């Protein structure tokens, strides 16, 4: 992709490619984490992006999103992104100082509209960030799902 692509072109291309998908941004996983993630329902369907491999050039829609919009939010990793039609919900996966069990990702996705650390809303002029719950709040309300 040419380096001269406009931010709005990169934004359009990002949403065309990733709409309806989830992305896990990470800087490596603890031993056994990825293997356990792949055992989970839908676990192999998450795009996984290793931020240690991110270059300094903005030469793809993913690089543009990460460098211009996600990394400046300074959220802990691993970080879950749920890409929808006009927004991207972000929630980190840490429980304490380490990633929670991969089975918790589906619980987090179920509640991500109400419980997210940040939201990037798509506007005609670009993405508008909005903070959500506090970074140190990442509790999962399992009782919410036991009432069904």
């Amino acid at each position: 992709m040419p380096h001269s692509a406009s931010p709005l072109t990169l934004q359009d291309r990002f949403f065309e490619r990733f709409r309806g998908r989830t992305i896990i941004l990470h800087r490596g996983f603890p031993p056994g984490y990825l293997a356990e993630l792949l055992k989970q329902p839908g676990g192999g369907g998450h795009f996984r992006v290793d931020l240690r491999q991110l270059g300094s050039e903005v030469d793809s829609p993913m690089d543009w999103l990460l460098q211009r919009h996600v990394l400046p939010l300074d959220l802990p990793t691993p970080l879950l992104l749920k890409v929808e039609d006009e927004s991207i919900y972000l929630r980190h996966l840490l429980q304490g100082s380490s990633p929670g069990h991969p089975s918790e990702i589906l619980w987090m996705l179920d509640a991500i509209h109400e419980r997210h650390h940040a939201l990037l809303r798509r506007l005609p002029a670009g993405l508008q960030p909005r903070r959500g719950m506090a970074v140190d709040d990442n509790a999962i309300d399992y009782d919410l799902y036991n009432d069904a």
Side-chain angles (χ1 to χ4, degrees), residues 8 11 20 24 28 30 35-36 44 46 49-50 60 62 64 66 80 90 100 102 115-116 128 135-136 139-140 143-144:
L8 291 179
Q11 174 179 290
I24 298 175
E36 190 61 37
H46 307 296
V49 177
D50 190 338
S60 75
M62 180 67 76
W64 165 81
L66 298 180
L80 182 66
L90 298 89
R115 296 194 43 80
H116 52 269
Q128 177 185 49
V135 172
D136 61 351
I140 299 170
D143 289 337
L144 174 69

Side-chain angles (χ1 to χ4, degrees), residues 15 19 84-88 119-123 127:
F15 277 93
R19 180 181 292 114
E84 297 190 345
D85 288 336
E86 300 299 321
S87 45
I88 303 168
L119 169 65
L120 297 172
R121 181 154 321 271
R122 187 178 185 188
L123 300 174
L127 293 175

Side-chain angles (χ1 to χ4, degrees), residues 82-139:
K82 180 170 178 36
V83 183
E84 297 190 345
D85 288 336
E86 300 299 321
S87 45
I88 303 168
Y89 291 87
L90 298 89
R91 184 170 176 172
H92 71 73
L93 300 178
L94 295 180
Q95 295 297 323
S97 61
S98 61
H101 192 273
S103 64
E104 295 175 330
I105 292 173
L106 290 179
W107 295 96
M108 290 179 171
L109 284 170
D110 282 347
I112 203 159
H113 291 116
E114 297 79 27
R115 296 194 43 80
H116 52 269
H117 294 102
L119 169 65
L120 297 172
R121 181 154 321 271
R122 187 178 185 188
L123 300 174
L127 293 175
Q128 177 185 49
R130 190 184 91 210
R131 290 290 180 165
M133 63 188 184
V135 172
D136 61 351
D137 176 7
N138 208 25

Side-chain angles (χ1 to χ4, degrees), residues 4-19:
S4 61
S6 76
L8 291 179
T9 297
L10 291 168
Q11 174 179 290
D12 289 344
R13 289 181 182 163
F14 177 84
F15 277 93
E16 286 169 12
R17 174 70 177 100
F18 295 101
R19 180 181 292 114

